[in-house]
Amino acid sequence: MDDDGDLILIRRFLARYKPVFPNYRKKAGGEELFRQGVLPGWNGTLPVSVFYGKDGRQAGHMLGEGTRDTYEAAIRTLLASGSN
């Protein structure tokens, strides 16, 4: 999502669904600082999924593609650990 059309779509999505958590859009440059701020040790590999608990802290992550079963197992593990 790099152009003004994408920004319009993002704003529409946020206005429609009104997420209750902070949302950020990275500016050009500073990729390393951004990656380390999101997930220390992350080298920028996509896709990346970062899981957060109800307290807003990171509770887990997955790097690379995953199957539905993989995601469900990760979420079940997080819920069972009390990170919800």
Side-chain angles (χ1 to χ4, degrees), residues 15-30:
R16 180 175 182 184
Y17 294 103
K18 298 175 182 33
V20 297
F21 46 84
N23 294 268
Y24 304 97
R25 184 167 187 258
K26 186 191 155 307
K27 294 181 181 178

Side-chain angles (χ1 to χ4, degrees), residues 55-72:
D55 62 3
R57 290 193 269 169
Q58 286 186 19
H61 66 274
M62 287 178 41
L63 299 175
E65 291 184 46
T67 64
R68 179 181 177 134
D69 290 339
T70 304
Y71 277 94
E72 287 180 0

Side-chain angles (χ1 to χ4, degrees), residues 14-66:
L14 295 174
R16 180 175 182 184
Y17 294 103
K18 298 175 182 33
V20 297
F21 46 84
N23 294 268
Y24 304 97
R25 184 167 187 258
K26 186 191 155 307
K27 294 181 181 178
E31 280 75 11
E32 181 64 20
L33 286 173
F34 172 78
R35 288 193 308 264
Q36 297 312 303
V38 171
L39 182 63
W42 177 37
N43 66 3
T45 301
L46 293 176
V48 61
S49 300
V50 182
F51 301 100
Y52 295 87
K54 286 184 179 180
D55 62 3
R57 290 193 269 169
Q58 286 186 19
H61 66 274
M62 287 178 41
L63 299 175
E65 291 184 46

